[in-house]
Amino acid sequence: MFTNSKKSATLILSDGTKFKGETLGKKGTTIGEIVFTTSMTGYLETLTDPSYYGQIVMQTFPLIGNYGVNFSDAEGEKPKLFGYIVKDCCKTPSNFRSKESLEEWLTKNNIIAIKGIDTRKLTKIIRENGVLNGAITTEEIENEEEFLKKIRNFKIKDAIKNCSTKETKILTGNEEKTNVICLIDFGVKKNIVTNLKKRAKKVVLMPHNTTKKEIEEINPDGIVLSNGPGDPAENIEIIENLKEIVSLKIPIFGVCLGHQLLAIANGAKTEKLKYGHRGANQPVLDVFLNKILITSQNHGFYVLNNSVNEKIAKISHINLNDGSCEGLKYLNIPAFTVQFHPEAAAGPLDSNFLFDEFFNVIEKYKINKLI
Amino acid sequence: MPVRKDIKKVLVIGSGPIIIGQAAEFDYAGTQALKALKEENLEVVLVNSNPATIMTDKFMADQIYIEPLTKDSIKKIIELEKPDSLLSIIGGQTGLNLAMGLYEDGFLKKHNIKLLGADINTIKKAEDRNLFKQTMKKIGQPVIESKTANTLKEAEEVLNSIKLPVVVRPAFTLGGTGGGIATTKEEFLNIVKNGLLYSPISQVLIEKSVAGWKEIEFEVVKDSASNTITICSMENVDPIGVHTGDSIVVAPALTLSDKELQMLRTASIKIVKELNVNGGCNCQFALNPNSFEYAVIEVNPRVSRSSALASKATGYPIAKVATKVAIGFHLNEIINQITKKTYACFEPSLDYIVLKFPKWPFDKFSYANRNLGPQMKATGEVMSIATNFEQALMKAIRGAEINQETLTLKEFENLKDEEILKGLEKVTDKRIFLVFEAIKKGVPIKTIENLTKIDSFFLSKLKNLAEMEKILTSEKTNKNSTFLDEELYVKAKKMGFLNKTIENLTGKKIKNKLNANFKMVDTCAAEFLSSTPYFYSTYDEENEALSLDENLKESKKVLVLGSGPIRIGQGIEFDYCCVHCIWALKKLNFKAIICNNNPETVSTDFDIGDKLYFEPVQFEDVEEIIKTEKPMGVIIQFGGQTAIKLGLQLKKANIPILGTSFESVDVAEDRKKFDALLEKFSIPRPKGYSVFSVDEAITAANNLKYPVLLRPSYVLGGQNMVIAYGDEDVYEYMKIITKNKLENPVLIDKYLTGIEAEVDAICDGKNCLIPGIMEHIERAGVHSGDSISVYPSQNLSEEIVSKIVKYTKTIASALNVVGLLNIQFVIHENEVFIIEANPRSSRTVPFMSKVTNIPMVELATRVIFGEKIKDLNYGEGLIKNNNYVAVKVPVFSFEKLNNVDVHLGPEMKSTGEVLGVSNNFSDALFKGLLAAGYNMNYENKKGVLITVRDKDKPEIVPIAKNLKNLGFKIYATKGTANFLNKNMVSCTEVLKAHESEKSRLNLIKKIEVDLLISTSYKTKVQNKQKHLI
C-alpha cells in the first residue's frame, strides 16, 4: 500500500520502482507506456502530438513551461498522451504569445502529470530496460500487487482509431496551386496539414481505413500517409488497403507511421526499438545526397533494414546514431517515405524541403504520364 | 573525407597575451586544436607569445615559436618552416587579423599557403561591416540599420539618416574595444573619435540601437560537405546593450518557444553556409521580445569565448571538431568522444542548464567606471551547472569569489525605493544584486522588467530566491524548534543554498544534512550510455559519479583544486599549474580529480583529469565532492589563492592536504609568526606591523617613517595594496579597507626602494631546487606581476645571488615546504630583504618552467608524493643559467576600462603576459615589448613628454639626455621642464591638463608624442588630470 499527500504524486514503474513527486495537472491515476523525449523546447507540440497516444511522456530537459502556452503551436486539437512527467513546471511563464501557464493548460485538458522527480534517473532506467509501463497516481493504492499487475497488463489499444478523423474533410489550401492531395490520417500532426496546404490547392483529410475506391473517387495528384501512434503491424486492415492503394500508381509520401505501414504493405517487417527515438536532435544521413539532416523524431518502432526487399525499395535515409532505417525510396511505385518528421514542430527544419520534393515528384510523374 | 592530401604541415597562430576580451579560452581551444592535428600525424608549427599557456608546452607541437604575434615575425617563421597551410580559426581575433594581413600582403599566395577553417572570403564577409551587410541581405537575413564612417565628418552625416540612440563599433577590434552607445551628440562624437583611433583600419560602424531586445547566440559547426549543425543556443540574461562577455548567460536559451528557436537556428545555418566556414562559427542575434522580428548582430567565423562556453556547457568539443573539419573531415566521420558510440554530427541535448557569470576587475580599480555597455570589461567568468536556474545562479555567485553567498548585497539593503528604481536603469556589475534588493523590497516584477528589460522569466526565478531567503530569515524568530524544518531545508538546498548560509539565515541547526548527488554531462541527456567523467552536483536521488569507477581503489585518488575565474593577479598561470599537476598525477598512476568552475580553461576540459567536477571552488562544494570520492588527499598549492584559502577549513574537517601543510602556509601569511621565523634565522625584511584600526595604522606608519606599504593579509595579486606617503594616504586607505569588518589584519611595511628579485623553488621539506633567479626591471613598489621580469638576473652580484639562494633554502626548510615556494626580495643598499614568501605555485611558474626547461609542477607533484630533490635528476640548489635571456613583459587592458589610473603601483593591474627570448638582454626585451603590443618603430621620431614628481627629477635627467641624443624632441610640464633646462637638457614647456584643456592633451591626441614618462604621487586616489592623459 502506498499513499499520497494532498500535494504529492507517485510514479510507479511496472517493476515496482517508485518516484515520489508533486502532483501537476489533473488528480487521479493513469497508466501508460513510459517514454522520454530529449527535445529541449516545444513541450506543447509534444503534448498535442497524437503519436503519443497511450504513452506517458517524460521531458529530459528540466525546465518546462518557461514560455507558457500559445494555442497556435498545438499539433492536435486535444492531447492524446496518457500522462506527463517533468522535473519542473514554470509557474510564471514569459512570452509575448503566452496565453496561460502550462500548469493551467494541463489541468484544463485533464492530463495527469507529476513533477519534481529525478528525471535523469528515470531516463537511465528506460534506456537500460527498454520502454516499460508505469502509472502516475495521486491516490491511495491499497493493493500494490494488483495495481502492478494492472500496469504490467496495460497495452495500447485502438490507437489509430482514437486519433484519426472519423470522416473525410476537404481543406482549402493555396489558391495559386493546382494539386489535390489525399492525406490519410492516422493521427496527423497539424504542421503536416499546414505544409501540404501551403503547396496544394486542396487537401482531403481521410480516415485511417480509407480504401482504394474512396481515393479513386477523389482522384488526387498525390497521397500522404500521416504519422500516428502505436504498433504498425497491428493495423491489418490499413495494411491491406495500402496494398491496393499503391496499385493506383499515384505518388505517395509517408511520414513516420505512414512510412512503416507502407513498408509492411510492401513486404518489410517492423520491430520495436529498445527505447525509441524521441527528440529534436537525431542525425540522419540522406544516402543519395550524402547529406546530414538533423531531424525531429518520435517513434518506438522501425522498419528492419534487412527486411527491405532491394528490388522493391532502397533505403534512402539512415540514422547515424544506431544505423536504423529512416527512409525508403520505392522502385516500382512513385513513392518515398521517411521515419522522421520533416514537418518538425517541435524541432529543426532541416528536412522541410522533403515536402517540396514530394510536389516535384508529383509534377515529374504528371509529365512522365503524358509522355 | 579524411585529411586532405594537400595538407602536411600546418601553422597555427595563437591569440597572444591574456587581455580583456581574449583570455584563457584560446589556450583551451588551441590545446584541443593542436591535439586534433597531432592525432592525424600532421606536422604542426605553433606561434604564440604567451608563455603561460598549455598550448606552448614543448610536446604540444613539432615546432613552437614563442615570438611576437606580428606579421613580420610570422613571415620569418613561415620562410623558415615552409608550412603548406595556416589554421586561422584558433587564435581569436588576433589570429584572424594576422591571417588576413598575411593574405593581403600577398605573402600566403607567394608561399603557397592555404587558409584552413576560414578562408579570406569568409573572414572578409564576416569582418568587413559593409560586406557583411550585403551578404546578409543576399540570403534574406535582417540586419540592424547601420552605416560605416571613416572620419568624424562622415560619422556626423550618418546621424542624418540613423537617429540616436546609436551603437558605435570600431571595425576589427576585439571585445568591442573603443565602442559604446551614444544617446547625445556629444557622447556620439567622443565615442566615434575613440573608435576611429582603436580601429586598425580607422573605421567605425554606427548602427541603430536595439537595446532591450533579447540577445541570443548560436554555436554552429559546418564541414566542407556543407553539413551544418548547431551545438548550443545561449541566451543573455542582460538584454542587448551589454556586451555578451559582460552579461550573465544561460544555455540553452530558456525563454524562446520552439518556433522562435527554430527560426534563429535556421538563420544561423543559412548564415554559416553562406559564409562557407569550415569549422566553428558563432552567430549573435537580437530578438524583439514582442514579436518574431530579429536581426543578425554579429558573426565570428572562429572559435571564441562563446564557443568555449558552449563546449563546456554541452560536452561537445567545438575546437577539436572545428579543427578536424578544417583539415577535411566530415562531421559523420568524427567520433563523439563522449559517447564513443555516436558521431560528431549530432546536436547535443541537455538535461540541465548552464549559467555563466562574469568576473570583473573593479575590485582592483576602485575608481573605474563600472557601467557596462558594448565594450567588454570582464577579465574572466565562472560557469555553473544545475537542474534549475536558482541553483545555477547561487553556484555562480559564490563561485565568482566576490564574497557573496546569496544575492543580498549589504550596501543595497538600506537604499530607499526611489534610489533603487533609479539605480536599476543603469547597467553595472552590481545590477543583478540591486534587482534582487528591489524584488525583496516588493517592487513589482513588471516595473523591474520595464526598467531593466530583463525577461520576467529570470526575474521570477530571482523572486523565488528572494522568497526563500525571506522564509529562511523569518525562521530566526520562530522559537518553536531549534532544528530547521526538513521540507524547507530540502527546498533550500535544491535552490542552491549552502548549509552554512541556511544555518546563518535561520539561526537554526540542520538535523540531517543532505549529501549532494552528482550527475553526468554527456551531450545526450542520458539517451545513450556514456562514460564521460564530467559531473555537477544536484540534490536529486541518484549519484552517478560513483558508478564509473567501482574498481578504483580509493587510496589512489587525489583531488586537485583549481583556481576559479581569471582575474587580475590570478590568471591562466594557475590553470597551467593545475593541468601539469594532473598530468603528473596520471604519470604517477594516481587518479586525478579536478574541481574548478572556469569554462575558459584547459583544466576544465573533460579529458584532462580522470574526473572533472564542474563546481565552485568553495569549501562546502568541495566537501561534497570529497564525501563522494573519498580521495587520499587534496592538493591546494597550484590553484592560487582560491584553493589555498580553503586550507583552514579542510584542516578543520580533517581532510588531508597533500604537500606543504596548512600550518606552513599560515606561518608565511601571519605577520607575527613569519617575522619570528625570519628573526630566528637572521633574515632581514622591511620593518613592519600588523594593524586593525586607523589609529594603529597611523602610529605604525609614523614609527616606520613614510613611505610605507599597506596591504591586507591573505591576498594574491597585491589586491588593495598601496604605497602611502603621508597620514592622509593611510587615512584614506584604512577608511576603504575597514568598510567591511576585518577578519585578518592590515600589514604595514617600510617601503624600501631597490631592485626587486624573485625566486620560484621546488622543495622537499629539506632541500630545494631553484631553477633560476628573476630580476625585475621596475623598482620595488611596482607589483611583481606588473614588472618586466628578466631571467637570468642581469645586475645582481655573486654575493647577492648567494644570499638569495641561502635565504630561499633557509625559509624552505624552516617552513617545511613540500612542493613549490615563491619568494620576492628587494635589494636595498646592497642588502637582501625578503618582501614575502608564498609556499605555493606562483604566476611565474609557467614562465620559469619554459625558459629553464625544468618541469617545475611535475617535480613539485613528485616531491609531494615523497620523492626527494636529489633523486629527481635536475640538480640541487640554484641551477646554472642557460645561454639566453628571457624577458616576461606584462600586458594591460587599460584601453577597455575608463577612469582607471594607468600608473603602476603595488596593486597588480596587468591581465596577461608575453615572453621575449634572445641570446642577449636588449634583443629579448625588444622582442618582449614588441610582443606586448608596444609600437617599437621610431623611424619618424616625434617627441617625448615628461612629467615627474620632484623626488624623481634628478633621475630623469640622464634618461632625458639619452632620448634627446636619440633624436626625440623633449616636452615637459612646468616643474619638470625647469629642472631639465637647469640641467642642460633643453625642452619645451607644456601646460598641465588642468592648466589648459588644450595643451598637453592635444599634444597626445594629435600623436605628436611617441612616449610619455610620468610618475604619479597618489596611488589609489583618483587624479582626474592623470586619466585625461
Side-chain angles (χ1 to χ4, degrees):
Chain A
M1 191 191 102
F2 64 93
T3 58
N4 284 295
S5 71
K6 217 173 147 194
K7 281 196 289 184
S8 77
T10 307
L11 169 75
I12 179 162
L13 309 183
S14 56
D15 65 359
T17 311
K18 282 194 218 77
F19 290 83
K20 270 273 176 210
E22 285 173 64
T23 168
L24 181 68
K26 191 190 162 189
K27 296 206 166 190
T29 300
T30 181
I31 298 177
E33 181 183 82
I34 302 181
V35 296
F36 64 82
T37 172
T38 61
S39 197
M40 295 185 283
T41 49
Y43 47 84
L44 189 73
E45 290 89 328
T46 297
L47 281 161
T48 51
D49 179 346
S51 299
Y52 283 115
Y53 179 88
Q55 293 171 324
I56 296 176
V57 181
M58 184 195 78
Q59 301 272 1
T60 59
F61 188 67
L63 298 185
I64 298 298
N66 301 354
Y67 51 87
V69 171
N70 44 81
F71 309 120
S72 61
D73 285 352
E75 279 301 306
E77 275 176 27
K78 282 269 167 223
K80 299 287 183 187
L81 80 182
F82 277 22
Y84 197 48
I85 305 168
V86 294
K87 174 118 193 108
D88 190 16
C89 187
C90 185
K91 285 197 166 108
T92 47
S94 158
N95 191 281
F96 70 101
R97 295 190 302 150
S98 173
K99 295 279 183 278
E100 62 190 23
S101 78
L102 182 59
E103 198 169 346
E104 289 166 324
W105 185 89
L106 288 169
T107 311
K108 264 193 211 164
N109 283 278
N110 296 320
I111 292 168
I112 297 171
I114 184 171
K115 67 170 180 175
I117 68 157
D118 190 340
T119 43
R120 186 170 166 93
K121 183 179 169 188
L122 178 58
T123 310
K124 284 169 68 189
I125 291 174
I126 297 170
R127 182 186 79 204
E128 297 307 318
N129 302 312
V131 281
L132 69 184
N133 292 344
I136 302 171
T137 179
T138 58
E139 295 160 324
E140 186 181 304
I141 301 297
E142 270 187 31
N143 189 335
E144 199 173 319
E145 259 320 298
E146 207 160 282
F147 188 55
L148 278 173
K149 210 182 272 170
K150 223 166 118 189
I151 292 173
R152 288 188 200 114
N153 289 337
F154 169 84
K155 235 180 146 330
I156 300 172
K157 269 183 289 190
D158 298 329
I160 293 177
K161 220 166 88 186
N162 279 302
C163 295
S164 170
T165 178
K166 300 274 176 290
E167 62 221 24
T168 298
K169 288 177 191 161
I170 295 171
L171 313 170
T172 317
N174 188 336
E175 284 297 326
E176 290 164 23
K177 306 287 179 183
T178 53
N179 291 316
V180 174
I181 302 295
C182 278
L183 170 59
I184 306 185
D185 178 13
F186 306 122
V188 71
K189 278 168 72 185
K190 192 187 76 187
N191 212 29
I192 292 183
V193 180
T194 310
N195 268 294
L196 293 174
K197 275 170 39 178
K198 221 188 281 176
R199 294 167 176 88
K201 186 182 176 206
K202 213 162 69 179
V203 176
V204 186
L205 188 73
M206 305 179 83
H208 60 101
N209 50 2
T210 298
T211 59
K212 177 184 170 188
K213 192 166 157 268
E214 285 160 331
I215 290 186
E216 263 185 313
E217 277 166 17
I218 295 166
N219 188 26
D221 301 289
I223 302 167
V224 172
L225 309 175
S226 89
N227 65 298
D231 180 348
E234 283 178 357
N235 304 292
I236 294 156
E237 186 195 356
I238 298 172
I239 293 162
E240 288 308 312
N241 283 340
L242 284 177
K243 280 181 186 164
E244 292 182 16
I245 288 169
V246 295
S247 68
L248 290 170
K249 303 268 175 191
I250 296 172
I252 299 177
F253 179 33
V255 173
C256 199
L257 183 75
H259 153 80
Q260 296 165 353
L261 292 169
L262 191 64
I264 298 173
N266 280 285
K269 286 196 178 69
T270 53
E271 204 174 83
K272 194 165 187 170
L273 289 157
K274 194 172 177 191
Y275 52 93
H277 297 162
R278 293 176 187 88
N281 66 341
Q282 296 276 341
V284 164
L285 181 74
D286 183 321
V287 177
F288 301 133
L289 299 176
N290 190 26
K291 198 173 140 176
I292 298 157
L293 308 168
I294 301 294
T295 66
S296 173
Q297 300 202 2
N298 171 18
H299 60 105
F301 292 82
Y302 77 111
V303 174
L304 264 176
N305 298 40
N306 59 13
S307 75
V308 179
N309 185 336
E310 276 175 47
K311 282 179 191 140
I312 294 175
K314 267 194 162 165
I315 294 179
S316 58
H317 295 82
I318 282 192
N319 188 302
L320 283 168
N321 286 337
D322 63 6
S324 61
C325 169
E326 289 279 358
L328 288 170
K329 175 155 177 33
Y330 288 85
L331 304 172
N332 53 347
I333 47 169
F336 72 100
T337 60
V338 288
Q339 180 63 71
F340 51 87
H341 290 264
E343 82 284 3
L349 307 168
D350 293 15
S351 53
N352 193 265
F353 70 92
L354 289 176
F355 285 102
D356 296 322
E357 194 78 12
F358 176 53
F359 284 84
N360 288 342
V361 168
I362 291 173
E363 293 308 322
K364 255 190 241 157
Y365 191 72
K366 278 187 199 159
I367 295 166
N368 282 348
K369 263 205 315 209
L370 285 177
I371 299 166
Chain B
M1 194 172 85
V3 188
R4 277 164 57 174
K5 290 275 181 295
D6 56 344
I7 301 173
K8 296 275 182 275
K9 188 169 182 178
V10 184
L11 175 68
V12 177
I13 304 178
S15 69
I18 305 289
I19 46 175
I20 290 176
Q22 199 161 273
E25 64 269 21
F26 295 105
D27 189 29
Y28 162 62
T31 302
Q32 271 195 0
L34 295 175
K35 280 193 207 163
L37 294 171
K38 289 309 293 169
E39 270 173 21
E40 305 309 326
N41 293 319
L42 295 170
E43 199 179 340
V44 183
V45 181
L46 168 71
V47 51
N48 194 0
S49 57
N50 187 348
T53 49
I54 293 291
M55 73 188 294
T56 51
D57 274 344
K58 64 179 173 195
F59 51 87
M60 293 302 303
D62 297 290
Q63 291 298 331
I64 292 169
Y65 290 87
I66 302 187
E67 292 288 329
L69 291 180
T70 61
K71 274 197 293 188
D72 287 344
S73 72
I74 292 172
K75 280 178 184 173
K76 277 184 205 145
I77 293 166
I78 288 175
E79 279 164 354
L80 203 67
E81 292 287 343
K82 303 191 171 47
D84 54 55
S85 34
L86 168 62
L87 188 62
S88 57
I89 54 172
I90 292 301
Q93 196 65 41
T94 306
L96 215 53
N97 286 354
L98 282 166
M100 196 177 72
L102 291 169
Y103 176 88
E104 289 192 329
D105 288 0
F107 194 81
L108 296 182
K109 203 167 178 195
K110 188 177 146 203
H111 290 264
N112 257 324
I113 295 173
K114 301 171 280 289
L115 273 177
L116 304 180
D119 69 14
I120 201 68
N121 287 325
T122 304
I123 301 176
K124 278 189 170 164
K125 275 182 194 167
E127 299 285 324
D128 181 295
R129 296 285 171 181
N130 279 328
L131 209 55
F132 174 69
K133 240 163 72 177
Q134 282 170 24
T135 311
M136 290 306 110
K137 279 215 172 112
K138 184 183 148 203
I139 56 170
Q141 290 302 319
V143 287
I144 297 162
E145 195 190 343
S146 67
K147 278 191 172 141
T148 54
N150 295 303
T151 63
L152 202 57
K153 200 165 160 263
E154 278 177 36
E156 277 189 82
E157 280 162 18
V158 171
L159 280 196
N160 294 333
S161 57
I162 303 174
K163 296 278 168 268
L164 291 163
V166 295
V167 184
V168 179
R169 298 173 194 269
F172 289 101
T173 64
L174 45 103
T177 307
I181 295 183
T183 40
T184 65
K185 184 138 186 212
E186 199 192 339
E187 275 174 10
F188 174 76
L189 294 176
N190 259 328
I191 298 171
V192 170
K193 246 185 257 171
N194 248 324
L196 289 172
L197 266 181
Y198 281 118
S199 166
I201 58 164
S202 283
Q203 190 189 73
V204 292
L205 176 87
I206 299 152
E207 68 183 23
K208 179 93 201 100
S209 168
V210 285
W213 286 21
K214 291 181 186 184
E215 186 164 352
I216 307 290
E217 290 180 64
F218 272 87
E219 286 303 320
V220 187
V221 176
K222 179 187 137 316
D223 67 21
S224 56
S226 223
N227 294 313
T228 313
I229 56 171
T230 59
I231 306 305
C232 189
S233 66
M234 287 172 277
E235 177 169 7
N236 290 18
V237 173
D238 299 295
I240 297 269
V242 180
H243 190 280
T244 176
D246 277 344
S247 180
I248 299 172
V249 173
V250 288
L254 291 178
T255 70
L256 268 51
S257 71
D258 190 62
K259 297 277 180 291
E260 294 159 272
L261 191 86
Q262 299 306 337
M263 171 179 81
L264 296 182
R265 180 187 174 276
T266 305
S268 307
I269 289 175
K270 255 191 190 165
I271 293 165
V272 175
K273 281 188 175 166
E274 179 61 29
L275 291 180
N276 196 22
V277 183
N278 291 326
C281 188
N282 161 266
C283 299
Q284 293 171 21
F285 299 95
L287 175 65
N288 188 331
N290 298 311
S291 70
F292 281 101
E293 186 185 2
Y294 72 92
V296 188
I297 306 176
E298 198 179 307
V299 174
N300 291 303
R302 55 174 172 84
V303 299
S304 61
R305 184 181 45 262
S306 294
S307 74
L309 182 66
S311 291
K312 297 287 162 72
T314 59
Y316 190 102
I318 295 175
K320 183 177 183 173
V321 173
T323 306
K324 296 267 187 198
V325 158
I327 56 173
F329 282 91
H330 293 168
L331 284 167
N332 52 333
E333 294 161 349
I334 306 165
I335 289 277
N336 174 353
Q337 288 302 316
I338 288 208
T339 60
K340 300 218 164 71
K341 287 185 174 66
T342 52
Y343 288 88
C345 63
F346 79 108
E347 301 196 345
S349 179
L350 278 54
D351 56 1
Y352 49 83
I353 69 147
V354 151
L355 185 139
K356 179 210 84 175
F357 195 89
K359 174 83 178 169
W360 288 282
F362 301 129
D363 50 343
K364 294 276 166 190
F365 302 117
S366 318
Y367 295 98
N369 180 341
R370 303 179 88 115
N371 288 346
L372 304 178
Q375 180 170 301
M376 182 173 164
K377 292 182 177 177
T379 54
E381 60 196 33
V382 296
M383 182 182 102
S384 57
I385 313 177
T387 47
N388 60 61
F389 181 86
E390 292 87 341
Q391 193 189 20
L393 184 59
M394 291 291 274
K395 279 188 186 182
I397 294 290
R398 64 173 177 268
E401 296 178 58
I402 44 176
N403 294 321
Q404 289 292 125
E405 276 170 28
T406 68
L407 285 136
T408 298
L409 197 63
K410 276 233 153 55
E411 61 184 272
F412 291 153
E413 281 191 303
N414 296 319
L415 289 184
K416 293 188 196 79
D417 277 13
E418 42 306 356
E419 289 171 311
I420 290 178
L421 292 180
K422 213 169 158 237
L424 285 177
E425 286 174 19
K426 244 210 244 150
V427 196
T428 71
D429 59 317
K430 291 180 183 166
R431 185 169 74 167
I432 189 84
F433 303 103
L434 193 62
V435 167
F436 192 69
E437 193 58 45
I439 291 171
K440 283 209 311 197
K441 293 227 157 69
V443 178
I445 295 290
K446 196 79 218 155
T447 310
I448 302 174
E449 188 177 24
N450 284 339
L451 286 170
T452 63
K453 306 289 180 206
I454 297 175
D455 197 286
S456 70
F457 171 82
F458 299 113
L459 297 173
S460 303
K461 301 287 177 193
L462 287 175
K463 197 175 172 196
N464 293 343
L465 282 169
E467 276 167 4
M468 177 51 80
E469 207 177 301
K470 264 191 189 164
I471 295 170
L472 291 172
T473 311
S474 70
E475 278 294 305
K476 240 183 185 148
T477 50
N478 172 9
K479 302 282 179 216
N480 290 337
S481 133
T482 43
F483 288 104
L484 189 63
D485 173 62
E486 191 129 352
E487 201 185 315
L488 177 65
Y489 170 64
V490 174
K491 228 175 152 186
K493 286 302 279 181
K494 289 191 172 179
M495 278 184 154
F497 286 81
L498 293 175
N499 288 334
K500 183 173 112 188
T501 318
I502 295 172
E503 290 190 331
N504 281 344
L505 290 173
T506 58
K508 291 206 160 106
K509 286 269 158 241
I510 298 158
K511 212 183 215 165
N512 299 311
K513 283 186 179 157
L514 276 181
N515 287 350
N517 283 324
F518 294 92
K519 298 280 181 196
M520 189 190 281
V521 172
D522 62 5
T523 72
C524 60
E527 186 178 357
F528 304 101
L529 176 69
S530 359
S531 49
T532 5
Y534 179 4
F535 298 96
Y536 63 96
S537 68
T538 69
Y539 284 86
D540 270 333
E541 280 178 32
E542 189 191 29
N543 194 345
E544 287 182 76
L546 288 175
S547 59
L548 264 191
D549 48 9
E550 278 158 354
N551 47 4
L552 251 184
K553 267 204 236 111
E554 281 171 3
S555 63
K556 296 291 273 178
K557 287 196 227 167
V558 175
L559 175 63
V560 179
L561 297 186
S563 56
I566 303 255
R567 70 209 84 164
I568 292 174
Q570 186 169 304
I572 186 175
E573 302 86 356
F574 294 91
D575 200 68
Y576 174 92
C577 292
C578 289
V579 170
H580 275 271
C581 174
I582 292 165
W583 282 340
L585 286 169
K586 283 177 152 179
K587 267 197 207 167
L588 294 171
N589 271 324
F590 289 101
K591 291 287 163 190
I593 303 163
I594 173 94
C595 167
N596 200 5
N597 64 346
N598 185 341
E600 306 174 302
T601 57
V602 178
S603 72
T604 51
D605 198 351
F606 67 85
D607 65 358
I608 293 291
D610 289 300
K611 258 179 169 180
L612 163 66
Y613 282 87
F614 212 106
E615 289 284 297
V617 191
Q618 296 296 312
F619 180 69
E620 267 192 47
D621 300 283
V622 171
E623 199 186 16
E624 293 296 343
I625 298 168
I626 292 169
K627 276 190 212 158
T628 284
E629 290 289 344
K630 302 184 182 65
M632 63 182 284
V634 183
I635 296 183
I636 61 174
Q637 60 174 274
F638 300 115
Q641 206 61 33
T642 302
I644 284 281
K645 235 171 28 192
L646 302 187
L648 177 62
Q649 284 161 297
L650 289 167
K651 162 102 191 133
K652 277 188 187 161
N654 283 323
I655 296 160
I657 295 170
L658 303 175
T660 309
S661 68
F662 166 74
E663 287 80 3
S664 301
V665 176
D666 191 49
V667 171
E669 293 277 358
D670 187 303
R671 155 120 259 162
K672 271 193 189 140
K673 290 179 193 165
F674 192 55
D675 276 351
L677 182 139
L678 292 180
E679 194 138 312
K680 188 173 154 197
F681 294 99
S682 312
I683 302 173
R685 77 170 297 175
K687 229 171 133 17
Y689 298 93
S690 37
V691 298
F692 277 97
S693 71
V694 181
D695 290 345
E696 280 173 18
I698 295 285
T699 317
N702 283 296
N703 274 342
L704 294 169
K705 296 206 171 59
Y706 290 103
V708 295
L709 195 68
L710 291 135
R711 67 193 154 112
S713 39
Y714 280 96
V715 294
L716 187 71
Q719 193 167 333
N720 298 319
M721 199 189 274
V722 300
I723 298 170
Y725 293 90
D727 286 355
E728 65 279 11
D729 295 344
V730 176
Y731 274 121
E732 191 204 1
Y733 179 78
M734 289 304 287
K735 211 176 74 198
I736 296 174
I737 206 93
T738 51
K739 215 158 60 179
N740 297 319
K741 199 180 147 266
L742 284 181
E743 281 179 26
N744 295 304
V746 172
L747 308 180
I748 301 191
D749 292 324
K750 175 70 190 155
Y751 167 54
L752 300 176
T753 50
I755 297 177
E756 207 171 304
E758 189 170 356
V759 154
D760 283 303
I762 303 144
C763 320
D764 63 9
K766 268 210 174 93
N767 297 310
C768 53
L769 159 61
I770 304 170
I773 297 174
M774 292 161 273
E775 178 186 339
H776 296 174
I777 290 186
E778 282 80 359
R779 66 180 72 185
V782 168
H783 189 277
S784 64
D786 285 349
S787 300
I788 299 176
S789 202
V790 187
Y791 163 84
S793 56
Q794 303 289 305
N795 301 302
L796 304 182
S797 67
E798 253 175 60
E799 188 200 338
I800 297 286
V801 166
S802 65
K803 257 192 188 164
I804 288 177
V805 172
K806 193 180 122 203
Y807 291 166
T808 304
K809 284 181 173 171
T810 309
I811 290 173
S813 82
L815 281 177
N816 193 18
V817 173
V818 181
L820 289 173
L821 169 68
N822 170 270
I823 309 181
Q824 286 161 36
F825 302 92
V826 57
I827 292 93
H828 178 74
E829 291 171 357
N830 220 26
E831 181 56 84
V832 177
F833 292 83
I834 292 220
I835 305 175
E836 59 178 88
N838 295 301
R840 53 161 168 76
S841 71
S842 77
R843 199 174 303 109
T844 41
V845 167
F847 164 62
M848 286 306 284
S849 302
K850 274 189 184 141
V851 300
T852 63
N853 236 333
I854 295 173
M856 294 175 68
V857 177
E858 182 185 328
L859 298 186
T861 307
R862 282 164 60 182
V863 164
I864 288 171
F865 288 96
E867 287 186 54
K868 295 293 165 215
I869 296 289
K870 61 176 175 4
D871 302 327
L872 295 173
N873 286 329
Y874 278 89
E876 223 183 303
L878 181 64
I879 305 303
K880 213 176 149 278
N881 294 334
N882 280 311
N883 275 335
Y884 51 80
V885 182
V887 176
K888 184 181 81 115
V889 181
V891 175
F892 302 85
S893 301
F894 292 134
E895 69 267 35
K896 314 273 175 184
L897 303 163
N898 305 328
N899 297 353
V900 162
D901 185 351
V902 300
H903 285 101
L904 300 182
E907 177 151 356
M908 184 167 161
K909 293 177 177 177
S910 61
T911 51
E913 65 197 52
V914 289
L915 180 62
V917 186
S918 189
N919 50 16
N920 66 73
F921 169 66
S922 27
D923 280 359
L925 180 61
F926 182 81
K927 270 186 172 178
L929 290 171
L930 202 62
Y934 294 98
N935 181 4
M936 304 296 287
N937 181 358
Y938 297 121
E939 268 168 29
N940 304 308
K941 290 186 191 78
K942 288 172 200 138
V944 179
L945 173 61
I946 305 176
T947 171
V948 294
R949 58 189 173 208
D950 289 346
K951 64 181 281 281
D952 296 328
K953 280 175 181 146
E955 267 185 81
I956 201 71
V957 175
I959 298 170
K961 234 175 223 165
N962 268 336
L963 287 168
K964 182 113 195 154
N965 290 340
L966 286 170
F968 287 96
K969 191 166 169 24
I970 308 288
Y971 300 91
T973 48
K974 198 172 171 189
T976 311
N978 278 341
F979 196 87
L980 287 177
N981 287 333
K982 248 187 245 169
N983 284 283
M984 318 285 291
V985 186
S986 59
C987 64
T988 312
E989 184 185 317
V990 292
L991 295 176
K992 284 201 177 168
H994 61 90
E995 292 162 347
S996 157
E997 271 296 314
K998 275 178 192 154
S999 61
R1000 185 164 57 148
L1001 290 172
N1002 276 0
L1003 203 63
I1004 300 176
K1005 278 186 182 165
K1006 279 190 244 150
I1007 323 275
E1008 283 177 2
V1009 175
D1010 293 309
L1011 290 169
L1012 169 72
I1013 301 175
S1014 162
T1015 59
S1016 81
Y1017 184 72
K1018 294 276 178 163
T1019 47
K1020 220 151 174 113
V1021 186
Q1022 187 196 18
N1023 185 337
K1024 197 159 185 221
Q1025 172 199 328
K1026 275 184 332 223
H1027 308 304
L1028 284 174
I1029 294 176

